[in-house]
Amino acid sequence: TQSISRPSKKAALFKKRAALKNESGFALLEKFKVLKINSVSKPVGLQVATRGTVSGVVTDASGTPLRNIDVYAIGAKDGDWMYTDWLGRYKSLGLAPGDYKLAFFDESGNYAYQFYNNKGSLAAADPVTIVAGQLTPNANAQLDKAGFIVGVATDPKGKVVADVDGVVFDEAGLALPLWMENGLSGEYWVGGLRSGNYKLWIYPWWDDHLGDQFYNDKSDFNSAELINVIAGLATTGTDVTLNYSPEVAIKTPKISTKTSKTTRFRVSWS
């Protein structure tokens, strides 16, 4: 039985992760961040004449400015990715005229995401209208303390899998741009969540013998169990047992010999 090499196994997982995100609409959020990082800004004169801007301030519940909050402006044909400065301020470099929806995410996981104006989903977000040559100000956001999903991943023998990654989906099926972190004791956690129900896809980062799954031991998004999260609290006990990957055989080596003028040993797997 032929086992799959680490590069091909990882490539397959990354391809699946990309497909899940694209199918869920995550590309609407992520592509603007990638384009912004890799792009060269348009001339300022062209921006002022044909494009508009949006700005705002992001704070916590007490009014304290929040730094390094990701802000996504999502339009039908255009978009932008921004992040807040040390005063919690953000401003786009230029957007084509039209309606946009804003999303606010804290990659550190300490504050709960939201869509403008304090909405829980992309579909429910209030649109912000961009006018050519004009600034749309005061598209502000106030973020609450986040909820967390916390658990431990193990293999079928009960051994802790210390390095896992995954994707969190909201109940509408949108993959959220949030990081999964791992602790020294084998626990994993995802923060940045608001109160609500979520689905989780999780996979091993390094162990090629283990497969991926949707929580809790489900094969697809539709059958995945919902995980309830309350803002400001940790939902613990979301442990997972990662089964052996069907693509990787774990079998006992069998040694056969062939004798001629010299003796050769061949190792095969059966």
Side-chain angles (χ1 to χ4, degrees):
T1 303
Q2 184 179 7
S3 64
I4 293 180
S5 65
R6 172 169 291 173
S8 61
K9 176 80 179 295
K10 283 291 173 282
L13 282 171
F14 292 155
K15 184 176 181 180
K16 182 173 182 178
R17 181 173 66 177
L20 287 170
K21 290 180 176 181
N22 288 335
E23 289 171 3
S24 77
F26 179 89
L28 289 171
L29 302 177
E30 178 127 297
K31 74 175 181 179
F32 299 129
K33 189 171 187 176
V34 174
L35 289 172
K36 185 71 169 287
I37 292 172
N38 296 329
S39 68
V40 177
S41 298
K42 296 180 175 62
V44 174
L46 180 62
Q47 288 185 354
V48 172
T50 64
R51 305 174 77 81
T53 57
V54 61
S55 68
V57 177
V58 181
T59 65
D60 66 11
S62 69
T64 302
L66 296 180
R67 185 180 182 182
N68 292 331
I69 301 298
D70 286 338
V71 184
Y72 299 87
I74 306 161
K77 296 182 179 179
D78 196 11
D80 200 1
W81 163 69
M82 304 148 274
Y83 58 91
T84 57
D85 64 13
W86 65 285
L87 291 176
R89 302 171 301 187
Y90 74 89
K91 184 179 180 181
S92 67
L93 289 179
L95 293 164
D99 288 339
Y100 292 80
K101 294 188 175 184
L102 302 179
F104 304 87
F105 284 88
D106 176 21
E107 287 191 359
S108 74
N110 293 319
Y111 292 91
Y113 74 89
Q114 70 170 247
F115 298 89
Y116 187 79
N117 186 16
N118 194 27
K119 297 299 193 296
S121 68
L122 182 63
D126 292 342
V128 174
T129 300
I130 301 298
V131 179
Q134 295 185 23
L135 168 66
T136 301
N138 301 320
N140 304 326
Q142 186 178 88
L143 305 186
D144 296 323
K145 286 290 187 178
F148 290 78
I149 294 173
V150 181
V152 175
T154 58
D155 68 13
K157 295 182 179 180
K159 181 181 177 181
V160 169
V161 181
D163 202 353
V164 294
D165 201 358
V167 179
V168 176
F169 300 82
D170 68 11
E171 203 165 0
L174 178 69
L176 305 174
L178 297 169
W179 293 98
M180 178 174 286
E181 304 286 352
N182 292 262
L184 296 177
S185 301
E187 71 274 11
Y188 73 85
W189 66 90
V190 180
L193 300 169
R194 60 190 289 124
S195 294
N197 294 315
Y198 299 90
K199 293 187 176 185
L200 174 66
W201 177 65
I202 190 168
Y203 66 93
W205 185 254
W206 290 113
D207 195 331
D208 295 334
H209 295 114
L210 300 174
D212 60 289
Q213 67 171 251
F214 286 86
Y215 184 81
N216 184 17
D217 196 23
K218 305 298 181 183
S219 61
D220 56 46
F221 176 83
N222 290 333
S223 62
E225 292 183 13
L226 291 171
I227 302 171
N228 182 258
V229 173
I230 299 174
L233 300 176
T235 299
T236 59
T238 52
D239 301 338
V240 296
T241 300
L242 296 175
N243 298 314
Y244 293 122
S245 172
E247 295 127 343
V248 180
I250 303 177
K251 298 186 178 179
T252 305
K254 176 182 177 182
I255 300 177
S256 62
T257 63
K258 179 180 179 181
T259 304
S260 57
K261 291 182 179 180
T262 60
T263 300
R264 298 181 179 180
F265 294 89
R266 184 180 67 234
V267 177
S268 61
W269 297 84
S270 59

